[in-house]
């Protein structure tokens, strides 16, 4: 999924997305308006918009104060939604099948930032533990990300 497709999804949900010269953050959603920092690369904008859509689909109210436990939980839920949207276990497997060997190769293949991918892997590790299985594949999150085809 690319940035334009995410913009179309946002528009389909009656969300107004604008690129602006934001100073304090890369993106923000308030009501039906999403602001994306205009100086970001297209890949960065894609990752930020996915997270803001994650907030649209999964969070309620103003969760800016991250000292509140419930707000932190909602933030994690929105981020997980964005990771699943742009990566998912299937994306990790697809990058393995494509021959990607490193984090930077996987990020480039999936057209996401390395930071976004690293955060996703950390979140998947928290969710699934050391490894998880999908179809005929085992995805290990520790000690490093790796995929093994089960026989």
């Amino acid at each position: 999924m690319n940035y334009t497709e995410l913009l179309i999804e946002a528009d389909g949900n009656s969300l107004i997305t604008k690129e602006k010269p934001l100073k304090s953050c890369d993106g923000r959603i308030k009501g039906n308006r999403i602001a994306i920092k205009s100086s970001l690369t297209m890949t960065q904008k894609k990752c930020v918009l996915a997270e803001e859509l994650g907030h649209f689909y999964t969070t309620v109210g103003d969760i800016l104060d991250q000292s509140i436990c419930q707000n932190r939980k909602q933030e994690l839920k929105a981020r997980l939604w964005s990771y699943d949207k742009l990566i998912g276990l299937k994306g990790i497997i697809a990058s393995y099948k494509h021959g990607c060997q490193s984090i930077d190769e996987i990020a480039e293949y999936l057209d996401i930032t390395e930071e976004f991918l690293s955060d996703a892997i950390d979140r998947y590790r928290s969710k699934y533990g050391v490894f998880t299985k999908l179809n005929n594949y085992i995805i290990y999150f520790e000690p490093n990300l790796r995929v093994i085809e089960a026989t």
Side-chain angles (χ1 to χ4, degrees), residues 3 5 11 15 37-40 44-45 50 53-54 70 107-108 110 119 126 128 130 133:
Y3 182 58
E5 291 168 327
D11 186 61
L15 296 171
K37 190 173 194 171
S38 56
S39 63
L40 299 175
Q44 290 169 322
K45 289 176 186 177
L53 284 170
Q70 186 60 31
E108 182 178 340
L110 296 173
D119 291 346
S126 294
Y128 297 111
V130 174
K133 296 177 183 178

Side-chain angles (χ1 to χ4, degrees), residues 34-61:
I34 297 174
I36 305 289
K37 190 173 194 171
S38 56
S39 63
L40 299 175
T41 67
M42 290 301 278
T43 300
Q44 290 169 322
K45 289 176 186 177
K46 173 183 168 181
C47 295
V48 171
L49 180 53
E51 184 178 334
E52 297 312 321
L53 284 170
H55 285 293
F56 172 74
Y57 288 120
T58 67
T59 62
V60 177

Side-chain angles (χ1 to χ4, degrees), residues 20-29 35-40 48 51-52 64 66 75 79:
K20 299 184 172 212
L22 301 175
K23 292 181 178 151
S24 63
C25 62
D26 290 340
R28 174 113 196 260
I29 184 168
I36 305 289
K37 190 173 194 171
S38 56
S39 63
L40 299 175
V48 171
E51 184 178 334
E52 297 312 321
L64 289 175
Q66 289 294 295
E75 182 68 30
R79 287 188 181 180

Side-chain angles (χ1 to χ4, degrees), residues 103-138:
I103 293 295
D104 61 318
E105 289 176 352
I106 296 168
E108 182 178 340
Y109 174 74
L110 296 173
D111 189 30
I112 56 174
T113 66
E114 290 180 37
E115 179 183 12
F116 188 85
L117 178 58
S118 293
D119 291 346
I121 292 166
D122 289 344
R123 185 71 186 113
Y124 289 152
R125 184 182 301 115
S126 294
K127 180 178 179 179
Y128 297 111
V130 174
F131 71 94
T132 190
K133 296 177 183 178
L134 181 65
N135 300 326
N136 289 340
Y137 295 91
I138 302 170

